[in-house]
Amino acid sequence: MAFDPVQEDCLRLILANMKRDGVQLLQDPLYIERATDVFQKDPSPLIHTDRERSFHLVAKATELIDYRAPFAATEAEAEEQANAAEAYLREAVELDPRNWDAQRMLATLQSSCDDELIAYLLDHKQDVASDAAGLIEQASNPYEAEFARDLGQRPHQRWIAALASRFLIAGQYRKALSYAEEGLAVSPTDLAGVRHTGMLAMAKLEVAPEELQRYRTRHAAAYQITGQGPSRRGHTGGHKPDAWSLIAQMSLAYRAFDFTGATTALRTLMRVYPHAAMPLYFQTEFPDGAFARVNVQPGSEDELVIALSEATPLLQEGMGTPDSASFALWIAEHELVQQALGAQDAHMRPEAHGNAHGGEA
């Protein structure tokens, strides 16, 4: 579960055009399909107001800053994409000053440090919440009510998630956990994924291991698999654990010198994410998404990369102390990881697939 900016832009525009044209889906069930085709070919015919164009510019900026710039071939190319994204966001704010996604993303790009960004987010937090509540109160027809209940609440959810994430990065773990809990109270199904930030914050606070499971149980709605109900055993949130939960569990065991427990969590992580060895060894830091956590396939290697990057405050435990190897090093050099890397190397060698002439029969 994550925010897809392009999908959200499409949904916003379709709903606005349904309201504008008075579309009733029972009378025209193929309207959404037709409108989606239009959006994919050229969204401009669906854009009619400044507010609609403003969010469309946010989606365009997100594509550049969150999905292209991190993979740019050169620093110059990455900077060019960042500058283009900033220009889109400036225009978005001019068109709609209450576009809080654009305001937040612009502040993220322009802030010189985390403290400055946190101060900005705190200063405007109540304004964002008030606008979200106002949408529900002022909805006067089914289209506005539908928007207010879902799409209109998402900027507020992203704002709280950003606060939780920034407090985690700043080392203020109790505040990070507090805002994670607030985000889950605002949106129990947690499209923003703020539960993961809360999980990492609890690991940094060295809570009892049982508290991690109580947290998952308390927020069972957020830990459901998208599109599925409770597991066949009847437990909500009964699917395989996610990378953030397993990293937090592993960290708590490691810090308690329970290396057997930490190894068990690592083994589970490598079972849940079958191609985990390389990410666990390199532990590459990936830039935080400006719009929201980058949207990747659940259970994928990309998801593990993002989780490990966000878990950097945990991985660096012990770093720089001569009598304590870092948690990151313990993972990278663990025999489970090394064995998996060796197996991958063997699989990639030419002799593993036969020689150039096709090997032996």
Side-chain angles (χ1 to χ4, degrees), residues 30-90:
L30 297 180
Y31 180 87
I32 292 178
E33 183 178 337
R34 293 198 308 275
T36 300
D37 288 340
V38 171
F39 178 87
Q40 291 174 344
K41 293 174 183 176
D42 177 14
S44 57
L46 299 175
I47 300 172
H48 296 271
T49 68
D50 285 350
R51 188 177 80 166
E52 291 163 12
R53 175 160 177 76
S54 180
F55 190 86
H56 182 65
L57 289 168
V58 165
K60 293 178 68 173
T62 301
E63 180 69 21
L64 291 176
I65 198 66
D66 287 352
Y67 294 89
R68 292 190 186 179
F71 305 103
T74 65
E75 289 187 11
E77 183 183 342
E79 184 176 357
E80 180 181 352
Q81 290 172 342
N83 290 338
E86 185 171 341
Y88 283 143
L89 293 170
R90 288 180 183 277

Side-chain angles (χ1 to χ4, degrees), residues 22 26 36 86 100 109 204 232 250 278 291 337 345 360:
L26 289 178
T36 300
E86 185 171 341
W100 292 114
L109 294 179
K204 287 297 295 184
R232 282 179 289 180
M250 182 167 43
M278 294 290 280
F291 178 71
V337 174
D345 288 343
E360 298 195 14

Side-chain angles (χ1 to χ4, degrees), residues 4 29 31 35 73 81 127 145 162 164 213 222 255 273-274 289 322-323 338 348 353-354:
D4 181 337
Y31 180 87
Q81 290 172 342
D127 295 329
Q213 183 56 48
R255 294 173 75 171
Y273 296 87
D323 59 344
Q338 292 297 313
M348 293 300 291
H353 303 283

Side-chain angles (χ1 to χ4, degrees), residues 108-176:
T108 300
L109 294 179
Q110 296 177 340
S111 296
S112 59
C113 62
D114 282 322
D115 287 345
E116 181 181 337
L117 178 57
I118 287 172
Y120 173 83
L121 294 173
L122 289 174
D123 286 345
H124 295 281
K125 179 175 178 291
Q126 188 54 51
D127 295 329
V128 181
S130 296
D131 279 6
L135 287 174
I136 295 175
E137 295 169 0
Q138 298 162 17
S140 59
N141 56 64
Y143 306 99
E144 291 178 359
E146 177 65 25
F147 177 82
R149 285 194 301 265
D150 182 8
L151 296 170
Q153 300 303 308
R154 295 185 182 187
H156 183 212
Q157 296 163 21
R158 288 188 279 265
W159 200 276
I160 297 174
L163 270 169
S165 176
R166 291 296 163 174
F167 274 123
L168 180 73
I169 294 170
Q172 300 187 52
Y173 305 119
R174 293 194 184 281
K175 287 187 177 179

Side-chain angles (χ1 to χ4, degrees), residues 94-111:
E94 291 175 1
L95 290 168
D96 180 11
R98 309 299 283 190
N99 182 336
W100 292 114
D101 285 311
Q103 295 280 17
R104 176 178 52 80
M105 292 172 69
L106 198 55
T108 300
L109 294 179
Q110 296 177 340
S111 296

